[in-house]
Every structure is written in C-alpha cells, then in structure tokens.
Amino acid sequence: DASYFSPHVNIAFAVEGATKTYGVRYLATGPVVNRCVTRLQMCCRLIDRVVITGSQAPLDMFVVDLDPANLPEQEEIPLPRNVRWNMRTRFLARQWMETERTKLWSERLAIEELFEGDPDIVRMRKPFTQHFFDTFSMGYLNYAAGQWEAAQIRLQQTVKMLGFIDG
C-alpha cells in the first residue's frame, strides 16, 4: 500500500515540520544526537521533550545553533567568458564536483572539527556564547521540572542575550 510510511519517515516529517513550530532551522531528535561523538553532541541544545506520532516514547528535541545572518554576503563569481561548454569541459566540471563531494563524505572527515574550525560555521555560532547555553540550560531544567516562573525568567534572559528571537 503506497499510503503506508514507516514510523521513521513519519518522525522525520514531524521533525522537519517542527522547525517551523520552534522557529529554528536545524532540529535533531535524541536518538540522532546520541549517535554523534561527544564533541558534536555538545553543539546541540536540548529544547523540548515531545511525543511524535510514530514514536513509542517521548523524544528529546535538540536544536543545532547556527545563525546564517552572521555570514558575509557572497559576491557572485562570474564564469570566464572564454570557456566553451562542450563534452570535455562538462566532464571536467562533473569530475571536479565529484572530487569535492568525495572529500565531504570521506571517512576521515570529522564533522565536530568543522564546528570548531570552519570559518563559516564558527561565524554562525558566534552569537551563542557559553553564558547563553548555561542560562538556557537552567531555564530548560526549570521548565522540565514545572517551575514555570523561574523558567520564564531564565528563558527571557536568553532572548536578550542573542539580540534576535531564538525560536
């Protein structure tokens, strides 16, 4: 039956849709974050615990804090006018793209190192300071414990720290 989707597909659709609900760009569930190395787990911020259709247990929801607004405008690099696109140049272009893709999918690529060393990712993470993470964590723990007033105070403090609405 074509109308059937596995629970994992339903969960993936729900998580993708939740990015709009939370007002964030990148979400991951607890099982995904738990499969990451510790250094990469530290780049993910716990924001909620929810029950999603297709999941038998509540799932922790994590956001990956990246703010693309911190990236500089990229100027468009014009293609050289003297390039003649023929079978050979197309082949060379495809070959170059495949080499670049292979580098990204290499077994040796450590994503956590990109979070610490890639200049663009470092720029996108800059607004999210350790003080922000500590304050948000305290607010989330208050929220999870049902201490609503304390949670509200802490979470409102984090909004002021970033200078923009964080979901």
Side-chain angles (χ1 to χ4, degrees), residues 3-146:
S3 65
Y4 171 78
F5 289 112
S6 80
H8 299 293
V9 173
N10 290 334
I11 292 169
F13 276 125
V15 171
E16 194 278 329
T19 59
K20 293 170 189 66
T21 302
Y22 289 104
V24 297
R25 293 181 191 276
Y26 313 102
L27 281 177
T29 61
V32 171
V33 172
N34 291 338
R35 292 188 58 105
C36 297
V37 297
T38 304
R39 281 173 48 204
L40 191 54
Q41 288 178 5
M42 300 303 291
C43 296
C44 302
R45 176 169 49 108
L46 178 62
I47 60 169
D48 208 351
R49 184 176 187 96
V50 297
V51 176
I52 295 176
T53 303
S55 174
Q56 296 185 0
L59 291 171
D60 288 334
M61 298 295 287
F62 291 83
V63 64
V64 181
D65 293 308
L66 297 169
D67 181 16
N70 277 6
L71 292 175
E73 289 284 326
Q74 288 187 346
E75 55 186 73
E76 206 170 300
I77 301 170
L79 290 174
R81 291 180 183 251
N82 59 352
V83 172
R84 292 197 184 265
W85 288 100
N86 55 35
M87 285 178 53
R88 175 142 176 77
T89 53
R90 284 188 175 91
F91 171 76
L92 291 172
R94 279 194 303 272
Q95 195 174 36
W96 178 82
M97 288 188 300
E98 184 61 33
T99 302
E100 293 299 308
R101 187 175 18 257
T102 302
K103 285 181 198 174
L104 289 175
W105 288 103
S106 165
E107 292 286 330
R108 292 174 281 147
L109 177 68
I111 300 297
E112 68 276 10
E113 290 176 10
L114 286 177
F115 272 75
E116 297 164 357
D118 181 85
D120 288 337
I121 293 177
V122 169
R123 266 190 220 103
M124 288 190 288
R125 289 188 60 80
K126 188 174 181 175
F128 304 95
T129 63
Q130 190 59 50
H131 181 59
F132 167 81
F133 288 124
D134 292 342
T135 305
F136 186 91
S137 180
M138 286 188 286
Y140 178 80
L141 291 173
N142 291 138
Y143 164 78

